[in-house]
Amino acid sequence: WLAALPPKLIKRTSIIAKLRQLYQNIIDDACYYMRKNCVEPVTTVNNNICQSSFRILDSYFFKYRDTEIKIIEESEIDELEAMVQQLAAYALTWSVACTTNADGRKRMDAFMRNKFVESGIDFPKERTIYDWSFDTKEKAWKLWLDTIPEYSCDTKLNY
């Protein structure tokens, strides 16, 4: 997977090293912990969970490929490098840590927070890991519900 990243990310060996270290330090332990301590309503397999995490990251990394219209600047790669740990934490949350039930999510929340601290990932202490989204424009964690407009139903509309 690392070899398939956009070329400018591959050239930035510090990004590759961070990703390799994070995944080596977290994903196997997280899968093992989840399998031994949590219930999955729908059974998954480790390689699919890992692939899901990579696909989430790929959705962020896609825009760092040079095109005929846009050449990626080094400053853009610098900005990504400053966020890569948070993006990995988000991807790990919504791949390995999300396949369990409500009780398992409580356990995975505590486990993943510990792994994030061990790995030097800055993550909000409030709420659960499932309540947060990383905003790449503001380079900050935001509560999910703060990222969408409040829904209001017009009671005067016809069905």
Side-chain angles (χ1 to χ4, degrees):
W1 172 74
L2 289 171
L5 291 177
K8 288 191 176 174
L9 297 187
I10 293 172
K11 278 185 176 178
R12 185 68 65 96
T13 57
S14 54
I15 290 177
I16 300 300
K18 281 181 186 179
L19 288 169
R20 180 175 282 123
Q21 180 187 18
L22 286 171
Y23 276 83
Q24 286 176 343
N25 290 342
I26 296 175
I27 200 151
D28 285 337
D29 291 347
C31 285
Y32 181 82
Y33 181 86
M34 188 264 299
R35 301 261 177 249
K36 295 295 180 185
N37 299 286
C38 303
V39 173
E40 281 187 301
V42 177
T43 304
T44 62
V45 291
N46 290 359
N47 63 335
N48 191 276
I49 287 174
C50 191
Q51 184 180 39
S52 295
S53 184
F54 295 157
R55 285 182 177 167
I56 292 168
L57 282 175
D58 283 341
S59 73
Y60 288 105
F61 296 162
F62 181 78
K63 68 181 181 178
Y64 294 95
R65 290 191 183 277
D66 288 337
T67 66
E68 294 174 2
I69 299 170
K70 171 111 170 82
I71 303 299
I72 305 304
E73 302 291 329
E74 285 299 311
S75 61
E76 294 173 89
I77 304 298
D78 292 341
E79 286 182 14
L80 173 65
E81 186 169 6
M83 302 182 289
V84 76
Q85 289 182 301
Q86 288 79 8
L87 296 176
Y90 176 81
L92 288 160
T93 297
W94 291 107
S95 56
V96 69
C98 73
T99 64
T100 186
N101 61 12
D103 288 337
R105 282 191 176 203
K106 290 176 188 171
R107 290 185 193 103
M108 288 303 294
D109 177 68
F111 178 84
M112 295 300 284
R113 284 180 179 281
N114 185 47
K115 294 304 274 185
F116 294 161
V117 168
E118 286 176 10
S119 299
I121 298 173
D122 182 34
F123 201 93
K125 291 174 180 35
E126 303 83 27
R127 305 217 183 178
T128 72
I129 61 173
Y130 308 102
D131 292 318
W132 297 97
S133 174
F134 192 78
D135 185 326
T136 57
K137 288 183 176 70
E138 293 186 27
K139 298 171 186 61
W141 290 103
K142 286 186 158 186
L143 291 170
W144 272 109
L145 294 177
D146 292 346
T147 67
I148 57 172
E150 186 175 330
Y151 177 77
S152 63
C153 184
D154 187 350
T155 58
K156 295 179 182 171
L157 289 177
N158 293 330
Y159 285 99

